[in-house]
Amino acid sequence: MENMKKFSVVIAGGGSTYTPGIVMMLLDNLDRFPLRKLKLYDNDEQRQAVLGEALDIVLKEKAPDIEYTFTTNPEEAFTDVDFCFAHIRTGKYEMREKDEKIPLKYGVVGQETCGPGGIAYGMRSIGDMIEMIDLMEKYSPDCWMLNYSNPAAIVAEACRVLRPNSKVLNICDMPVGTLRRMSHIIGKEPKDLEVRYFGLNHFGWWTSVKDKEGNEYLPQIRDYVAENGYLTQKEVDTQHMDASWQETHKKAKDLLAVDPRFLPNTYLKYYLYPDYVVEHSNPSYSRANEVIDGREKTVFSTAKAIVEKGTAEGSEFEMGAHATFVVDLARAIAFNTHERMLLIVENNGAIANFDDDAMVEVPCIVGTDGPEPLSQGKIPEFQRALMYQQVTVEKLVVQAYIEGSYQKLWQALTLSKTVSSAKVAKDLLDDLIEANKGYWPELK
């Protein structure tokens, strides 16, 4: 390890509840991915300071040789960095709550990344993402951004159109989490498994799950999911999983029923069973409230306890359970490991019968030059039609943002499978414009 290169990393969105978990995971992986510098960057000074001070104590105790800072100054944040790990949330949980609750007033799915909520969040995020890419390129032109900010599909499409040559990799932790569940079902470790998968972000299907010897486990996993969804007892017992997530993993059995050949991404429930989702949503207490009352309180109270005591002993931050995928990705770029991972990339033939310029989620081999998508062949027309509808929504959102076009955003909402009519789409849009004043570009 002494001869291994040491890296400088900036975490953009330093005030995020996910930041301590990512930092703990980085400290746990120093043998694979050594660090010389670690910086946190956020535009909310107060929020970041709470976590920043606590993590300062953690680093002094666990890895005093790593140079550590937290800052709101872009030049300080982005100078001399090799990797930017980005998990930003424009508008924070206050706006997420609106994304979830405004659509429910119209009987439409209210969700962070799917349907109108995802569109609203996407419109808020594009500007900040592009600004961050530009800052990174200005101060560290060789830096790679590993972006796992939601809504990943819209953000990835915006990067494709506005910054096509930038070193930005878009990745999502959802397939990583689902693969972990699959590995529990068959008694394996995720690293023992290789998958084939096609789709868009939060909108796809596994077509194969094999071990390294080439044994196919898809039928066995499918039989389990047909009965239980992806929910495993191990998770219920050990992870204190929020009720809303348990329900999501259970619902996968109904998604599987629509096409039993492939294993579905759990997010498809918002598109295939929107009526069910709305029926089971509480318009006055959404997922944002669950997070504010749960993870937010836990993480920030842990941070305050560490700062008060002046030590992290007895008040440890929890490690991000499947956050190691970020290190795997960074290592692939840094050490040319040819890691096989699901990434959101321009299709260019990976799915043979789908648009070349669509941002799709497929397995890629990742090396020093970035990702090389693996061919997934032709896909069935049912999935292709669903994906075409959804990718067009995402493209229209990005065009609406760039052109400041009310018309295109109305079309995007109308086309979304979660919205029942153009009238509902228009009423919703007018409401969302009002709620997002100061965040969205002006629409004409």
Side-chain angles (χ1 to χ4, degrees):
M1 178 188 153
E2 289 308 309
N3 311 328
M4 249 171 134
K5 184 182 171 188
K6 293 189 173 184
F7 297 95
S8 172
V9 169
V10 60
I11 297 176
S16 160
T17 53
Y18 287 112
T19 297
I22 293 277
V23 172
M24 298 309 283
M25 181 274 305
L26 284 169
L27 293 178
D28 196 52
N29 282 273
L30 287 173
D31 57 330
R32 301 196 309 136
F33 186 66
L35 294 180
R36 58 185 173 87
K37 267 190 193 177
L38 180 62
K39 305 191 245 193
L40 309 186
Y41 170 67
D42 206 306
N43 57 7
D44 183 333
E45 189 166 6
Q46 278 178 300
R47 187 181 164 96
Q48 177 173 259
V50 181
L51 301 181
E53 284 169 24
L55 287 166
D56 191 22
I57 293 167
V58 171
L59 269 108
K60 281 196 172 77
E61 291 180 350
K62 285 188 181 284
D65 53 332
I66 297 173
E67 194 184 316
Y68 168 80
T69 49
F70 56 96
T71 181
T72 53
N73 176 331
E75 185 172 0
E76 196 185 332
F78 288 101
T79 299
D80 181 32
V81 284
D82 303 305
F83 291 98
C84 170
F85 294 178
H87 51 221
I88 63 169
R89 182 180 294 281
T90 304
K92 298 194 273 290
Y93 286 113
E94 175 199 357
M95 291 306 295
R96 174 175 180 174
E97 192 177 350
K98 292 182 182 179
D99 294 343
E100 292 169 348
K101 290 181 177 177
I102 291 170
L104 284 170
K105 292 197 320 203
Y106 299 88
V108 173
V109 166
Q111 210 276 329
E112 174 199 20
T113 64
C114 304
I119 290 170
Y121 184 16
M123 287 287 287
R124 287 200 304 278
S125 304
I126 295 170
D128 281 354
M129 273 307 295
I130 298 302
E131 184 190 344
M132 222 159 55
I133 293 168
D134 291 349
L135 287 167
M136 174 183 91
E137 293 183 336
K138 179 178 178 183
Y139 296 114
S140 288
D142 296 328
C143 183
W144 282 86
M145 181 181 287
L146 312 187
N147 174 52
Y148 43 100
S149 309
N150 274 328
I154 292 170
V155 168
E157 169 64 11
C159 292
R160 179 188 76 82
V161 176
L162 294 168
R163 296 293 179 273
N165 302 314
S166 295
K167 293 180 162 181
V168 180
L169 295 180
N170 292 290
I171 188 167
C172 174
D173 65 350
M174 190 66 211
V176 180
T178 307
L179 185 63
R180 198 176 68 241
R181 287 177 197 96
M182 291 178 187
S183 69
H184 291 166
I185 291 167
I186 55 177
K188 300 271 177 196
E189 289 295 317
K191 66 177 188 310
D192 303 330
L193 300 173
E194 278 191 352
V195 304
R196 288 176 67 77
Y197 178 98
F198 70 85
L200 314 170
N201 178 241
H202 287 182
F203 203 100
W205 294 263
W206 283 266
T207 58
S208 169
V209 183
K210 289 181 178 174
D211 64 18
K212 294 286 195 272
E213 286 73 52
N215 301 305
E216 180 62 78
Y217 288 94
L218 192 120
Q220 188 184 336
I221 299 169
R222 187 171 53 205
D223 291 348
Y224 181 94
V225 174
E227 291 289 315
N228 313 285
Y230 291 118
L231 195 65
T232 61
Q233 199 51 46
K234 178 175 177 178
E235 269 187 322
V236 181
D237 295 343
T238 59
Q239 295 226 322
H240 329 293
M241 190 188 280
D242 288 343
S244 66
W245 270 114
Q246 289 198 29
E247 194 282 314
T248 287
H249 295 310
K250 268 190 227 162
K251 188 69 183 165
K253 69 179 192 182
D254 295 334
L255 301 174
L256 179 67
V258 181
D259 189 339
R261 290 174 297 178
F262 308 134
L263 292 165
N265 188 310
T266 51
Y267 278 89
L268 287 163
K269 78 169 186 175
Y270 299 107
Y271 303 97
L272 299 180
Y273 293 97
D275 47 353
Y276 168 90
V277 171
V278 171
E279 227 170 274
H280 290 76
S281 298
N282 179 348
S284 57
Y285 193 84
S286 70
R287 175 69 192 152
N289 301 113
E290 246 186 35
V291 175
I292 291 164
D293 295 342
R295 189 173 68 228
E296 177 104 354
K297 277 198 174 129
T298 310
V299 169
F300 279 87
S301 61
T302 302
K304 284 168 188 158
I306 290 172
V307 173
E308 270 167 35
K309 288 193 305 196
T311 173
E313 279 181 33
S315 326
E316 289 268 312
F317 285 118
E318 277 189 31
M319 203 183 309
H322 47 250
T324 47
F325 73 91
V326 191
V327 162
D328 294 334
L329 184 54
R331 270 179 56 83
I333 297 287
F335 301 122
N336 203 31
T337 62
H338 294 139
E339 182 84 20
R340 181 172 172 153
M341 308 184 81
L342 290 188
L343 290 175
I344 304 156
V345 292
E346 204 167 342
N347 182 35
N348 285 332
I351 299 169
N353 54 346
F354 204 61
D355 291 37
D356 279 345
D357 65 356
M359 292 303 280
V360 297
E361 195 166 49
V362 291
C364 299
I365 302 293
V366 188
T368 310
D369 297 331
E372 290 184 41
L374 296 170
S375 168
Q376 301 303 300
K378 289 185 175 168
I379 60 172
E381 54 195 357
F382 175 67
Q383 282 80 4
R384 185 172 73 157
L386 284 170
M387 281 166 58
Y388 190 70
Q389 181 179 19
Q390 180 59 20
V391 84
T392 308
V393 172
E394 291 154 9
K395 285 181 176 181
L396 284 167
V397 171
V398 172
Q399 289 165 24
Y401 176 89
I402 293 168
E403 297 163 25
S405 166
Y406 179 96
Q407 193 79 49
K408 283 195 169 171
L409 205 55
W410 180 18
Q411 289 172 358
L413 283 158
T414 302
L415 191 60
S416 174
K417 200 164 159 44
T418 60
V419 179
S420 60
S421 81
K423 181 191 185 303
V424 173
K426 192 172 197 303
D427 294 345
L428 238 172
L429 175 55
D430 292 339
D431 214 339
L432 289 170
I433 287 172
E434 195 53 46
N436 284 276
K437 277 216 164 92
Y439 287 110
W440 286 9
E442 202 176 324
L443 301 178
K444 292 186 181 64

